[in-house]
């Protein structure tokens, strides 16, 4: 029996089909998923299995063709326009394989950006987060002056700036060498404090990385299969 009780995100019968010309390509075929507060989940699946598509649905970057996704019991998969944008900024932190840093902005400005869009002055928090990920000495630099690992650390700080309860990471170590990637995973382990209620969903193709999580889910043939909770977690 899981030690995580309260459900943060729930997906029910989520379906998504793309088209290659006029040819339909079903990607998600009735996905059901419950993500609980404080839980770290790893999402495994073959290339092209729809892992990123599911992540984008949960993060309100895309809308499902059918089915519902709820956040603390309230449906958000049908939100439109500005409502979806506000939901993403206020509730979700994204960490991508590509760092998506704005090259003309300093590291500090990149980290502050989600807050600035909501007219918040989060400079002190941004500096605190950069210190937390080991970049307090680099906040005045621009992204092209940072290594890949440093850019990913800055991206993690940016994802946390609005104190999201849900953090979505898409292959966050995919562009990094093994040593640098291990440093990024150490940060995720530090972020994973069940008492905080922060929920993490990480897409990875690496089974060893997946084992760091509380639970591993597999996406296969458009549906999810969940493994039992990892012993000792």
């Amino acid at each position: 029996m899981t030690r995580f009780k309260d459900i943060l995100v729930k997906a029910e019968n989520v379906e998504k089909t793309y088209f290659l010309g006029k040819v339909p390509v079903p990607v998600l075929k009735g996905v059901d998923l419950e993500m609980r507060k404080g839980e770290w989940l790893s999402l495994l699946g073959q290339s092209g299995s729809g892992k990123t598509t599911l992540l984008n649905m949960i993060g309100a970057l895309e809308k499902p063709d059918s089915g519902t996704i709820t956040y603390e019991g309230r449906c958000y998969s049908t939100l439109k326009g500005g409502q979806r944008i506000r939901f993403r900024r206020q509730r979700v932190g994204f960490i991508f394989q590509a760092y998506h840093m704005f090259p003309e902005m300093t590291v500090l400005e990149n980290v502050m950006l989600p807050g600035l869009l909501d007219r918040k002055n989060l400079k002190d928090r941004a500096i605190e987060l950069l210190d937390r990920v080991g970049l307090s000495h680099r906040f005045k630099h621009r992204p092209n002056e940072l290594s890949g690992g440093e850019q990913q650390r800055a991206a993690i700080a940016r994802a946390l700036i609005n104190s999201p309860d849900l953090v979505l990471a898409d292959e966050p170590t995919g562009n990094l060498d093994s040593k640098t990637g291990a440093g990024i995973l150490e940060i995720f382990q530090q972020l994973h404090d069940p008492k905080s209620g922060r929920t993490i969903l990480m897409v990875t193709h690496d089974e060893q990385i997946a084992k760091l999580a509380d639970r591993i889910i597999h996406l296969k043939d458009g549906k999810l299969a969940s493994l039992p909770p990892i012993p000792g977690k």
Side-chain angles (χ1 to χ4, degrees):
M1 187 173 182
T2 180
R3 62 194 172 102
F4 302 102
K5 304 297 183 182
D6 297 330
I7 296 172
L8 182 69
V9 173
K10 184 174 183 178
E12 294 184 279
N13 199 30
V14 170
E15 299 186 355
K16 185 67 177 181
T17 297
Y18 296 107
F19 286 84
L20 292 176
K22 295 183 179 180
V23 179
V25 181
V27 178
L28 303 180
K29 306 174 184 177
V31 167
D32 295 309
L33 174 64
E34 290 184 353
M35 299 170 57
R36 298 176 185 275
K37 294 180 180 180
E39 186 179 25
W40 179 356
L41 297 92
S42 286
L43 176 59
L44 286 172
Q46 295 182 346
S47 179
S49 64
K51 301 187 300 296
T52 297
T53 297
L54 179 57
L55 204 73
N56 289 344
M57 299 287 164
I58 292 173
L61 284 173
E62 296 186 61
K63 298 175 69 173
D65 295 332
S66 61
T68 60
I69 308 176
T70 60
Y71 184 98
E72 293 185 327
R74 299 180 63 180
C75 181
Y76 67 92
S77 54
T78 56
L79 293 176
K80 298 180 180 180
Q83 289 180 316
R84 294 177 68 224
I85 293 172
R86 284 191 295 274
F87 173 83
R88 286 198 303 269
R89 284 208 303 263
Q90 295 170 3
R91 302 292 186 180
V92 186
F94 283 97
I95 303 164
F96 302 97
Q97 183 174 352
Y99 320 120
H100 296 307
M101 307 294 285
F102 288 91
E104 69 278 7
M105 303 173 71
T106 66
V107 171
L108 180 62
E109 290 167 340
N110 269 282
V111 172
M112 290 174 60
L113 184 59
L116 293 174
L117 293 171
D118 285 328
R119 299 182 179 181
K120 298 177 182 177
N121 186 352
L122 297 175
K123 182 177 180 179
D124 289 343
R125 174 163 173 77
I127 292 174
E128 176 187 341
L129 287 168
L130 285 169
D131 182 60
R132 185 173 179 181
V133 299
L135 284 181
S136 57
H137 62 300
R138 303 286 265 167
F139 71 89
K140 292 183 179 180
H141 290 71
R142 298 193 186 277
N144 64 359
E145 299 176 294
L146 272 60
S147 68
E150 287 173 329
Q151 289 191 60
Q152 192 62 294
R153 287 170 181 264
I156 292 171
R158 180 182 58 195
L160 298 174
I161 191 68
N162 281 329
S163 303
D165 292 322
L166 177 62
V167 174
L168 304 177
D170 193 356
E171 298 278 6
T173 62
N175 285 339
L176 305 174
D177 61 66
S178 57
K179 182 178 179 181
T180 306
I184 296 298
L185 292 173
E186 284 182 10
I187 293 176
F188 273 95
Q189 289 176 291
Q190 294 167 9
L191 294 176
H192 178 48
D193 177 8
K195 294 180 181 179
S196 73
R198 183 186 299 113
T199 301
I200 300 172
L201 176 61
M202 178 186 290
V203 168
T204 181
H205 65 277
D206 189 320
E207 292 189 9
Q208 293 304 309
I209 291 176
K211 289 179 181 178
L212 296 172
D214 300 299
R215 184 158 56 103
I216 301 173
I217 49 180
H218 285 262
L219 185 59
K220 183 178 180 181
D221 298 327
K223 293 190 175 184
L224 288 179
S226 180
L227 296 180
I230 298 170
K233 288 288 186 177

